[in-house]
Amino acid sequence: MKGFSISFTLGKASSVHGGNVEHNNRDFIAKNVDSSKTKENILYKAQDIEAAYHELFDAAVADYNSKKSRPSRRINNYYEHIRDGRREEVYYETIIQFGSVHDAPCGSERGEAAKKMLDDYMKSFQKRNPNLHVFNAVLHMDEASPHLHIDFIPFYTTGRTNGLSKGVSMKAALIEQGFRSKGATTNHLVEWETSERKAMETIINSYGYEREEMNANYKHLSVEEFKIREDEKTIRAALKRNRFVSSDDMSKENVRNLMFKISSADIKIAALEKEKSSPHKSFFYSNPDKQAFIQSKMDAVNIPYVETEYGFNAQQCYVKQIREWEKMFTSSSKTFREQLIDEIDKLLMRCTDVDELYKKLEADGYAVKLGRYISVRPPKAERFIRLKTLGEEYNERALQNRIQQSLKFELKLSENLAKAKADNASTYKTLSTMRFYTVTFKKGLLPCHKKIKHQPFSWLNDEELDKLLLLNRKINAGETIESMKKEFELKELELKGKNAAAEEALKRYQRLARAKEAFLVLYEGKASSLISIEQAEQYREAYPNITESNYVEVFKFTEQAKSDSYAAKSIVQEAEQELRSLGGAIAIAAKVQAGTYVQELVSTENIHRNADILPNGVFQL
């Protein structure tokens, strides 16, 4: 199994590429960011840095100032004191990555594994580093490969007789955490970074991978140094590719070889062109996870395809590659324990007691061993699995209780259906559809679709029944298809207004942020990739009332504008979710009214199941 390399890069706030919280939080979008995937990013923490400084040091600063009789010796604003000084960094940023863009790109299977490892690393970072206060942290999934940005403020709490009892210092923070210098080449910082890399290696091992050594003799590099080194590699490679051809290379023999290679290349190009004009094929998969896996692989290498109702279409020239990915999915499919859990969840709803469950498992090729502990061996597995080890919902008593709960649900549903029929209630058709759904499922014609993935399947954790229950509640409340359609139209209009308000809030924040950036460039000499000196001067001319003495006060409300923009965006997302939910309810209500809801589910499932017996799961278009 191919391992994962480790990338751990530490940068300083004062360095050009040392840290950029606005970029990390996507307050502006750089060219290398795929904005359509930004929603997949994970924002762990987004605390304003000045607020973090107040939280950490206000008490220590107040105590320090109380001992100073001369006002000039007091610290009015500790954040500005550190920012304007030269002794300590305001904050540090570390960038963490498992694997690289070449072997673990976003959207790939290994990319998803890297994302999980980064999540584990982030969740243990603060506990492992109590003297490094994390004020901002985000996992990016909208660039070439998954990576994690952690911005932190290092602080000490002991060892100072003069000055603040608690203050900013990377060296003192690491020493307080137990890291010491060990000679000229191994200081506290190197020791800490080595420790963090070991933590990363432990996480890699916990996922069943080995650490892949990319460069065993690495030395500490800042973010800026790392990028410069990578740029140098790119330049050297380009020079190597484009080196001048010497006179020796132009000999007749070499020219003849080159002409032969060109001819061969032309033949290959013609063959590729012919392949790309080949007809499309339709791909069907009984397992939706397998289809999603294949499509993620195609997305990663930009292979075009068109999604259909039951699969996707791709050209003939890509069939061979798709077959290879199908084999990869087989090797990374569910474990025997996961297979057994899914099989029990599926069969349990069709049984009246656990003995019937064991018989159905045996009929499906599972070996069942009865005794003090019930054990089951899945097909092709070498060992038996004790049911109690699958979780508290899978021991024999829990299984019997789950069966009884299912039977109670079905009995209550039948009673409600009989009452609705007698009362000629408007809920009769919905209840009848629910009853028809449970009967059809118990015949083995439908698959499990869990509403909550990590919980066992049951009638109360069934995605389809949940939709019908929601519709039934709406009908009980007096709603009809017509009233829901009118409500949908009103919510659509409301959404347009909320979208317009969100766009205006975003534009306002962007205008303020850009103006603020311009005056930071002018008055603080900030290096900016957004605003040039010339553009900043234009802002000075446009806003002559904003001066070096008042610009900080003027732009204090920028953060409020940012918060307003996020709030407006959140309101839009909630409205969109409500609209989707209502639209789904209307579509379901129409199918229930026509009596086709369950039949359509069965038809879709039959197409997926037939994909297993079709030749290669492919149709010629």
Side-chain angles (χ1 to χ4, degrees), residues 471-519:
L471 176 63
N472 200 55
R473 286 195 292 271
K474 285 181 176 291
I475 293 172
N476 260 331
E479 294 191 42
T480 63
I481 294 180
E482 288 70 27
S483 67
M484 284 191 284
K485 284 181 178 179
K486 289 180 181 178
E487 184 184 358
F488 187 88
E489 291 172 359
L490 290 173
K491 286 189 178 294
E492 268 191 320
L493 289 174
E494 288 177 10
L495 179 60
K496 286 181 181 178
K498 290 173 181 176
N499 261 319
E503 287 176 7
E504 184 56 39
L506 176 61
K507 288 177 182 176
R508 179 172 181 270
Y509 165 64
Q510 288 173 338
R511 287 195 300 269
L512 288 171
R514 193 169 181 83
K516 181 180 179 181
E517 182 86 357
F519 285 97

Side-chain angles (χ1 to χ4, degrees), residues 409-421:
F409 178 92
E410 293 166 26
L411 179 61
K412 183 67 175 176
L413 180 59
S414 296
E415 291 173 354
N416 290 339
L417 179 61
K419 186 175 185 303
K421 184 177 182 181

Side-chain angles (χ1 to χ4, degrees), residues 274-285 291 294-295 298 303-323 326 614-621:
K274 185 177 179 181
E275 281 187 4
K276 289 205 170 185
S277 63
S278 63
H280 282 73
K281 299 281 188 178
S282 286
F283 290 80
F284 298 88
Y285 295 98
Q291 178 177 328
I294 301 299
Q295 287 177 314
M298 296 172 75
I303 291 179
Y305 62 89
V306 178
E307 287 199 62
T308 61
E309 188 174 0
Y310 305 114
F312 62 86
N313 295 337
Q315 285 180 285
Q316 172 69 43
C317 57
Y318 301 118
V319 170
K320 183 178 179 182
Q321 179 60 72
I322 292 171
R323 292 287 166 255
E326 288 172 352
L614 292 172
N616 298 321
V618 178
F619 282 157
Q620 175 78 46
L621 289 184

